[in-house]
Amino acid sequence: MKADALKSIRLLPPLAISRLGNSPEPVNNYDLVIPENQPLGYRQIVPAPTLIVDEKTGRIIASEARPVTFKDEQGRIRPVAPFLELWGSAGGDEWVHLTSNDLKGANIRWRVHVANIKVFRRTGDPHDRVEADTDWFDDHARRELRGVAKNFRTGKHIPLGHIQFINPTRNFPEIRARFTPAGGYVYGSNPFVTDATGAYVGDPNFGGNYIEHDLNIRDVVYDPSKGKWLGYDEVFPPYTPNPPEATIPGQIFAGQSNANIAGSWVSLGYLDDECDGTVEVEVTIGKKTLTSFARVGAGPPAFAPDSFPIRTVYDELEQALLGPTIEPKDYTIEELQTEAEEIIRRAFETIRLMNTTIMNGNAFRGQVDIGSTMVRQDRNDAERAFEPIMAPTIVDNLAVKTLHQNIFTSLRSGAAPWFVSVLRRFDEIGDLTDLGRRKMPGLMRNADGRYLCLTRRQREKIRLAAQRLISPQEEEKAK
């Protein structure tokens, strides 16, 4: 495409999720493949072509499938570092991956603004916002994203990763940038350990005669004389409604209880190096300037990389874009079957990772309520009697996996869709009756602190696939 003909540009993907890791080598690219003879078996991790970047020059020196490991030889976690690629259109729906040949004579520059506002979310103090901004740049050097906040100690920052504008070459002329997240470290407000009252704690390794160093933190960056994060107390008094700004569940930051204050949770003053934000690109061709942006985020490593959660950000975005209902023309019968099977497969993968007996509220060695479960949440939030959700004798993991296998087999075989009625609807998440709590997905919490359900669109896919509501005639008309 000639630069003069360019009408619009896009950064793709528009949302890129990275994963923290302290190894200098990112995870190599891979595909997840479902075994042909085991539709509910572990997904196979298959190496895929990976772009190898020379850090100093910013050039891609190779594209090859390399062995996939999630830790390096030193045991350090390898980060997931996504590429953001520039695409263009001369008008209409046709988009092409832009190259340096397409943009000869154009000026391309980038800007990245990321932030971690978890502490600000709690304290409400704008000086607790941790932000990094590269300003505009057009060279190919790595740019460190130095997260700073006004309540930090002088000269201190949190590394939030780095960005690099990839230097196009003859073999790899495409225009792209790469975002690499931070190492996954904890930063603090005090080099020493204190209790919930603020008193220093003696080191047990030295008989308690010396103050104990806090070995969890990589560096002390926060200044307690400026901000209130160290010792910040999120108090939720028993039997009183939580304030509107509280998260669900509350008190999810690192802290400790103050025995003198009921419902207290006192912050240890920790901060992490996760972030999210925007990557902007600007292309100037003569007097014409085109712009686009994408969003990036950094999350924890995937410790079950061969599995998918039952409900993901993708499902949320799909419903937001396409709506909760499905029209006959939206999918062919084969596509609908594949989509429905994938949802059931992800449900199976999710419970495969769970200790279902404990999550059900079963007693363990004579002890009850030994973990944070929906049984506990029902009692705490609604004063419901503490009792297991399912019959305690039928929730061992093998039995629950067998149930999901039967559902998958039923869906694939075209048998009567008996299981659709037990899928929890979106308006049943607060149903704490015996029947309501036993619906599927089971034993899991949603973002509102109540029972997890599929998105309305996910549930509709299963219902239509199970009942075969899209006939071949309707499919043919929709084409």
Side-chain angles (χ1 to χ4, degrees), residues 377-391:
Q377 302 302 329
D378 293 344
R379 179 194 60 192
N380 292 347
D381 298 343
E383 299 186 26
R384 193 194 194 281
F386 186 94
E387 60 179 347
I389 295 172
M390 310 288 185

Side-chain angles (χ1 to χ4, degrees), residues 19-23 25-32 45-46 67-73 75-80 301-307:
R19 294 190 178 274
L20 305 173
N22 58 343
S23 172
E25 284 291 328
V27 174
N28 291 323
N29 197 18
Y30 62 92
D31 293 318
L32 291 179
I45 297 175
V46 179
V68 179
T69 61
F70 298 92
K71 292 184 178 180
D72 62 20
E73 294 180 351
R76 297 170 297 188
I77 293 177
R78 301 176 70 176
V80 173
F303 291 106
D306 56 358
S307 302

Side-chain angles (χ1 to χ4, degrees), residues 314-388:
Y314 175 88
D315 300 308
E316 311 298 325
L317 293 175
E318 182 185 46
Q319 179 164 293
L321 289 169
L322 303 179
T325 59
I326 295 176
E327 299 296 331
K329 63 182 180 180
D330 291 344
Y331 299 96
T332 65
I333 291 177
E334 291 76 15
E335 289 171 340
L336 204 59
Q337 180 74 17
T338 300
E339 292 276 333
E341 287 184 8
E342 173 65 9
I343 296 169
I344 302 300
R345 183 180 294 107
R346 283 156 51 182
F348 178 81
E349 291 174 337
T350 300
I351 61 97
R352 188 168 58 192
L353 297 172
M354 294 169 57
N355 186 331
T356 49
T357 56
I358 298 301
M359 299 301 289
N360 188 56
N362 288 17
F364 178 73
R365 296 179 179 175
Q367 293 182 316
V368 297
D369 194 19
I370 63 172
S372 180
T373 64
M374 287 307 301
V375 183
R376 177 190 291 181
Q377 302 302 329
D378 293 344
R379 179 194 60 192
N380 292 347
D381 298 343
E383 299 186 26
R384 193 194 194 281
F386 186 94
E387 60 179 347

Side-chain angles (χ1 to χ4, degrees), residues 234-245:
E234 185 173 79
V235 181
F236 290 169
Y239 310 113
T240 59
N242 291 344
E245 67 274 12

Side-chain angles (χ1 to χ4, degrees), residues 29 35 73 75 102 172 264 293 379 452 459:
N29 197 18
E73 294 180 351
D102 297 324
F172 302 97
S264 75
F293 75 95
R379 179 194 60 192
L452 180 68
R459 191 179 188 277

Side-chain angles (χ1 to χ4, degrees), residues 26 36 45 52 61 97 119 122 225 271 377 379 381 414:
E36 290 186 8
I45 297 175
I52 310 302
I61 56 177
H97 195 173
V119 175
R122 242 63 195 202
S225 68
L271 302 96
Q377 302 302 329
R379 179 194 60 192
D381 298 343

